[in-house]
Amino acid sequence: MKVVIGEDEADPVLGISDLLIHLSSEQLEKKLKDAISGEDLNICAGTFEIESDDEKLKDKVKENVLTILNSKYDITEEDLVSSEIQLVPAGRARDYGLDKSMIIGYGQDDRVCSYASFEAFLDVEAPTKTTCCVLVDKEEIGSYGASGMNSNFFENTVAEIVNLVDSFSDIKVRRALANSKMLSSDVTAGVDPNFPSVLETHNAPCFGKGVVFMKYTGSRGKAGSSEANAEYVAQLRKIMDENKVFWQTGELGKIDLGGGGTIAHILAKYGMDVIDCGVPVHSMHAPWEITSKVDLYEMKKAYVAFLTCI
């Protein structure tokens, strides 16, 4: 169940109801993947009827909800066709653990990466090479769409820059992309003693050990994988060690069990050097995800070192 927890007492709190365990005998017979379908995740938005003497109104609860949406947010029923409204746990991130060494919060698998990347980009004042921080979405559905990495917006941006600093040609754009180096900021699964069977513990990252470099990704074997070449990995090792960045290596679970992909392969098609680099996460994709403060700190240090020394 995903619930919005308002940051302010005046914020609305919405939710998706759960089934009473005493009535769940049939539900418990289903496989976990079939127990809850997306079409059954209906939001409870209100129960009060609108105050009206109009007998033609068939659904006064709905009319009351629409009236509130219109008065508070200037949203009409027709606006819902084009709107992008999502129900998510919106509570603030909090310290986690008795020693407060971790962070618990919604959506950290993307937010820690965006935060560390942008902060590092701002900290590097005079890089010797052109640097950029690219923030994209739609990664979980294949990075499609105008704002996903599979679109041509990044390539088009490089082309525009080439055109401004020199006369444009396709080969110059291709050379610029091929000569680039990239850290694909993404997370991986950390060693969790509650679920030891899904990880190969000798090749899995742990909390508190630093930023994680994933030489390869992919799923069920290494299908859809992007694998960094040995020379690039060695170059990054040298940069991290010289800048006293604590780092570790890892993979996303046992190689034949599941796994997953990132956007690294999309940039690799240009011929640029790219590797996945992020932090280990517990409870990934759950309403509340957990990360280590040490790993987040080292991730930002790694990004600063990369932008400064690459």
Side-chain angles (χ1 to χ4, degrees):
M1 179 175 66
K2 294 186 176 181
V3 180
V4 167
I5 301 175
E7 297 286 347
D8 187 288
E9 288 187 1
D11 289 338
V13 179
L14 307 177
I16 300 170
S17 61
D18 203 354
L19 180 63
L20 174 65
I21 189 65
H22 302 82
L23 302 175
S24 64
S25 59
E26 292 184 0
Q27 192 82 348
L28 292 174
E29 294 297 321
K30 298 179 181 179
K31 290 185 178 181
L32 184 58
K33 67 181 182 67
D34 300 321
I36 303 173
S37 67
E39 287 73 18
D40 291 334
L41 298 178
N42 297 306
I43 301 166
C44 181
T47 59
F48 285 160
E49 295 182 349
I50 192 171
E51 294 184 4
S52 174
D53 295 327
D54 187 353
E55 296 181 356
K56 294 182 179 179
L57 289 178
K58 295 181 179 179
D59 193 338
K60 293 187 177 181
V61 173
K62 172 187 171 182
E63 291 299 327
N64 191 48
V65 169
L66 289 173
T67 299
I68 294 171
L69 284 174
N70 185 252
S71 61
K72 293 189 67 174
Y73 307 105
D74 196 27
I75 295 174
T76 66
E77 184 173 9
E78 186 175 319
D79 291 331
L80 298 177
V81 175
S82 56
S83 64
E84 294 184 2
I85 300 176
Q86 298 174 336
L87 194 68
V88 298
R92 294 179 180 177
R94 298 181 61 184
D95 292 326
Y96 187 74
L98 291 175
D99 58 359
K100 299 183 179 180
S101 62
M102 296 166 282
I103 304 168
I104 184 170
Y106 166 72
Q108 287 200 79
D109 56 313
D110 295 313
R111 294 164 75 182
V112 291
C113 297
S114 300
Y115 167 76
S117 301
F118 190 63
E119 286 290 313
F121 184 76
L122 294 180
D123 278 2
V124 179
E125 296 182 356
T128 57
K129 298 180 180 178
T130 301
T131 63
C132 66
C133 174
V134 184
L135 304 176
V136 293
D137 64 358
K138 306 291 194 297
E139 190 259 344
E140 296 299 339
I141 59 168
S143 298
Y144 297 107
S147 55
M149 201 68 240
N150 258 319
S151 71
N152 290 329
F153 81 90
F154 180 62
E155 181 181 341
N156 292 342
T157 301
V158 174
E160 292 285 358
I161 295 172
V162 170
N163 187 54
L164 288 171
V165 299
D166 199 358
S167 57
F168 173 81
S169 74
D170 182 66
I171 192 63
K172 290 178 182 178
V173 175
R174 291 176 180 271
R175 286 171 178 168
L177 291 168
N179 288 320
S180 298
K181 297 181 185 295
M182 173 187 173
L183 292 184
S184 173
S185 186
D186 211 333
V187 300
T188 188
V191 171
D192 188 337
N194 285 328
F195 306 100
S197 64
V198 301
L199 299 168
E200 203 290 294
T201 55
H202 295 294
N203 198 29
C206 300
F207 272 21
K209 301 296 184 180
V211 67
V212 183
F213 286 100
M214 291 163 282
K215 189 176 188 297
Y216 55 84
T217 55
S219 59
R220 290 173 177 82
K222 291 198 292 185
S225 174
S226 174
E227 184 164 4
N229 64 63
E231 294 81 5
Y232 185 45
V233 176
Q235 182 183 21
L236 292 173
R237 284 169 42 210
K238 186 173 184 291
I239 291 173
M240 298 304 126
D241 291 343
E242 289 177 348
N243 288 273
K244 296 180 171 56
V245 176
F246 288 93
W247 59 276
Q248 55 185 318
T249 59
E251 61 181 1
L252 191 58
K254 288 184 176 179
I255 197 166
D256 290 318
L257 184 63
T262 68
I263 68 169
H265 70 98
I266 301 172
L267 281 302
K269 71 181 182 181
Y270 294 115
M272 71 172 65
D273 289 327
V274 55
I275 192 171
D276 287 293
C277 178
V279 296
V281 178
H282 283 184
S283 303
M284 195 190 303
H285 296 326
W288 300 99
E289 298 173 322
I290 305 163
T291 57
S292 162
K293 293 180 180 179
V294 170
D295 299 335
L296 176 55
Y297 175 73
E298 294 299 327
M299 178 164 63
K300 182 194 170 184
K301 280 178 58 181
Y303 293 170
V304 170
F306 173 80
L307 293 171
T308 304
C309 304
I310 196 68

